[in-house]
Amino acid sequence: MGGKYRVTGNTYPRMRRPRHRRKLVLSVTGAVVALGLAGWGTLQIVDVFTGGDKQANAADRPKACPSPSATAPAKVLPKPAAIKVNIYNATPRSGLAKAAADELKKRGFAIGKVDNAPAAYDKKVPGTGMLLGGPAAMNGSFPVLTTQLPGAAQKTDTRSTADVDLIIGTKFKAFSTPAAAATALTALTEPAPAPSSC
C-alpha cells in the first residue's frame, strides 16, 4: 500500500479499544454472586413469614397433649370408722378431751383412750392440736383427721399399731363443721388431674 497510508515498522494501528477479559470475568462473577445472595436472602425472609419447611415444622412440633379427661387414680383413704383415735387434752381447760371424743364419735370415728396429755405434751402444744401416730398414718389417718381439725401438727413415732393420738392444743376452739369436713375429705379423695407434659 502506498501513499500516506503506507504502513511501516512492526506495529499496526488498532481500530478499537482492547478487550479486557479479566474485568469481564470479574464483572460476571460478581453479578452471579450478588444474584445468589439476593435469592438466598429472599428465601430466608419467605421462610420466616411462612413458617419454613413443613417437615422441619413437623419435627419441631410438640407431641400431642393428653386429653383433659386423663387423670391420676383417686387417692384411697380410710373411712372414719376404720380410724381409732386416742384423744388427749394438753390445755388447762377441763373436760375438753371428753367433749372432743363425743364429737368425733358422732362423726363416725372409733374412739380409744380419752385422758389428759402425758407430761411430754401437757400444755406444750401451742397450736390447735397435734396428730401423733405410726409412719403409715401420714398418708392414711392423718389426712382424714385434718379435715376435722385443719392446721393440726403431724408427728410420727415408732408405734406399730394403727391407732392415732389427737392431742388438743391451747388454740383449739372447735372442729370444722361437718359440711366443711365432708367437702375437704371429698377434695382429698377426688382424682387429681394428670400432670401435663406440654
Side-chain angles (χ1 to χ4, degrees):
M1 181 180 293
K4 64 178 183 179
Y5 296 107
R6 185 175 182 178
V7 176
T8 60
N10 295 326
T11 57
Y12 297 91
R14 295 182 179 273
M15 304 304 290
R16 61 181 177 181
R17 299 175 69 181
R19 295 180 181 177
H20 298 289
R21 291 189 177 183
R22 184 180 295 175
K23 287 184 180 180
L24 181 63
V25 170
L26 288 176
S27 298
V28 171
T29 304
V32 170
V33 170
L35 287 173
L37 288 174
W40 180 80
T42 303
L43 285 176
Q44 295 302 313
I45 293 173
V46 169
D47 282 349
V48 167
F49 287 103
T50 60
D53 185 36
K54 292 182 179 178
Q55 291 181 352
N57 281 347
D60 295 337
R61 192 175 297 127
K63 294 180 181 178
C65 296
S67 63
S69 60
T71 55
K75 189 173 182 179
V76 178
L77 294 173
K79 300 290 184 185
I83 302 174
K84 185 178 180 180
V85 187
N86 304 312
I87 302 176
Y88 298 102
N89 182 9
T91 74
R93 293 175 281 171
S94 62
L96 200 55
K98 176 71 168 65
D102 291 343
E103 182 60 31
L104 286 182
K105 187 175 182 179
K106 288 178 188 176
R107 300 185 185 199
F109 290 89
I111 304 300
K113 296 177 182 177
V114 179
D115 204 346
N116 290 323
Y121 296 103
D122 191 26
K123 300 177 182 65
K124 296 176 184 176
V125 180
T128 58
M130 175 183 288
L131 299 174
L132 188 62
M138 288 296 294
N139 294 317
S141 304
F142 284 0
V144 177
L145 280 167
T146 54
T147 63
Q148 310 295 325
L149 186 60
Q154 301 176 17
K155 186 178 178 181
T156 58
D157 56 19
T158 57
R159 77 181 73 185
S160 59
T161 56
D163 62 325
V164 176
D165 297 344
L166 170 56
I167 305 172
I168 299 173
T170 54
K171 290 186 179 178
F172 175 82
K173 293 182 180 179
F175 291 112
S176 299
T177 64
T183 301
L185 186 60
T186 301
L188 282 176
T189 55
E190 280 181 347
S196 175
S197 59
C198 301

